[in-house]
Amino acid sequence: MYEKWINVLSKTLLFKDIQPEHLMSMAQCIQPRVCHYKKHEYIAIAGDDFEGVGIILSGAASVIKENAAGNRVIISMLDESDMFGEMAAFSSLAKWPASVQAQNPVTALFIPGEKIVGSCPNACVGHKKLIINMLKIISEKALMLNKKVDYLSIKSMRGKISTYLLEQYNKAGSLIFMLPMNRNELADFLNVSRPSMSREMSRLRDEGIIDYYMSSIKIKDLETLKKMTE
């Protein structure tokens, strides 16, 4: 049942440096649950019982937080082989800390935390590496969340947009790149209104700092963009 997903799983940080043949035997031992979701269907809802560390096998999803008024903020976007729920895997609360929603049809796999760090009855090759990988993932996630706090503390609209665009520039290694989110998703991610964000991006274009067409961005004045993040 898991054969078709081995190539995807081998790209996941949880199974990094574990050979495909060993990964197959581990999948048979761990017996993860595979589920399918329709577009816009919730994969997990904040506050519901935690079901295990999730891995996106196909499709894309967003991790979101909602307040009592129904306003939502996108915490992150998930693509094929990305993980979610790892920070709650060993919590005593055993509840989903955020909601996960399918952006298109999604197939996801769930592994209970005890299957990751528990003793392996079949002495699978690579299980020790699995535990080490999980510890690294949680550590790096904590560091990333710390950075997220710093990012959300940026007060100005221009500062938020320029910081985000510089991060995408650094990831792409090019002055021309595609935004991974549409405008509504980006506004949610930056925790700003869509009209205000669009107006600010138009100003940046009019000032010759950036240019854009749909999801394509071109940075025309890198030095000025950097100064706006200071």
Side-chain angles (χ1 to χ4, degrees):
M1 140 178 212
Y2 305 109
E3 291 88 347
K4 63 184 293 187
W5 307 117
I6 291 301
N7 287 337
V8 176
L9 292 175
S10 64
K11 299 175 185 177
T12 302
L13 292 176
L14 183 61
F15 298 107
K16 184 180 179 181
D17 297 329
I18 297 177
Q19 297 300 316
E21 60 270 22
H22 298 153
L23 182 51
M24 186 63 219
S25 64
M26 289 180 68
Q28 297 293 344
C29 178
I30 294 173
Q31 290 288 303
R33 185 167 55 89
V34 176
C35 301
H36 305 279
Y37 302 90
K38 299 177 182 178
K39 183 178 180 179
H40 298 322
E41 185 177 359
Y42 279 94
I43 299 170
I45 298 177
D48 282 0
D49 291 339
F50 183 74
E51 301 176 14
V53 175
I55 297 173
I56 301 295
L57 297 177
S58 66
S62 58
V63 181
I64 58 179
K65 277 280 195 179
E66 296 179 345
N67 61 22
N71 299 317
R72 69 176 198 165
V73 176
I74 295 179
I75 305 301
S76 63
M77 301 296 295
L78 302 171
D79 292 312
E80 184 180 286
S81 79
D82 285 341
M83 293 176 59
F84 57 95
E86 60 271 25
M87 295 299 286
F90 310 108
S91 170
S92 59
L93 295 177
K95 302 290 183 182
W96 285 103
S99 298
V100 182
Q101 185 179 32
Q103 297 300 299
N104 49 40
V106 165
T107 299
L109 173 149
F110 294 91
I111 307 174
E114 61 270 18
K115 292 285 189 177
I116 297 174
V117 299
S119 59
C120 179
N122 298 324
C124 294
V125 176
H127 198 94
K128 181 178 180 180
K129 182 61 179 175
L130 183 72
I131 296 173
I132 293 173
N133 286 344
M134 188 66 191
L135 292 173
K136 286 182 178 179
I137 289 167
I138 292 175
S139 177
E140 290 173 1
K141 186 76 170 184
L143 292 173
M144 185 199 72
L145 290 174
N146 187 60
K147 180 182 177 182
K148 179 72 173 178
V149 171
D150 292 337
Y151 186 78
L152 292 176
S153 68
I154 300 173
K155 295 181 179 180
S156 72
M157 174 83 69
R158 180 163 288 210
K160 290 187 177 188
I161 294 173
S162 56
T163 298
Y164 180 80
L165 293 179
L166 280 175
E167 287 181 353
Q168 298 308 309
Y169 155 72
N170 289 325
K171 288 180 181 179
S174 170
L175 293 172
I176 301 175
F177 51 85
M178 299 294 292
L179 293 177
M181 294 183 268
N182 62 38
R183 293 296 178 86
N184 286 329
E185 292 168 340
L186 181 55
D188 284 341
F189 180 77
L190 296 177
N191 197 24
V192 298
S193 72
R194 163 69 188 273
S196 297
M197 183 190 73
S198 295
R199 284 195 297 270
E200 192 60 47
M201 290 190 69
S202 294
R203 292 189 188 103
L204 292 173
R205 180 181 59 187
D206 294 342
E207 293 170 19
I209 298 170
I210 65 169
D211 196 6
Y212 59 83
Y213 177 72
M214 299 182 70
S215 294
S216 176
I217 298 289
K218 179 181 181 180
I219 297 177
K220 301 176 69 176
D221 189 342
L222 181 61
E223 292 307 312
T224 299
L225 195 68
K226 287 180 178 178
K227 289 178 181 178
M228 290 190 299
T229 65
E230 297 175 354

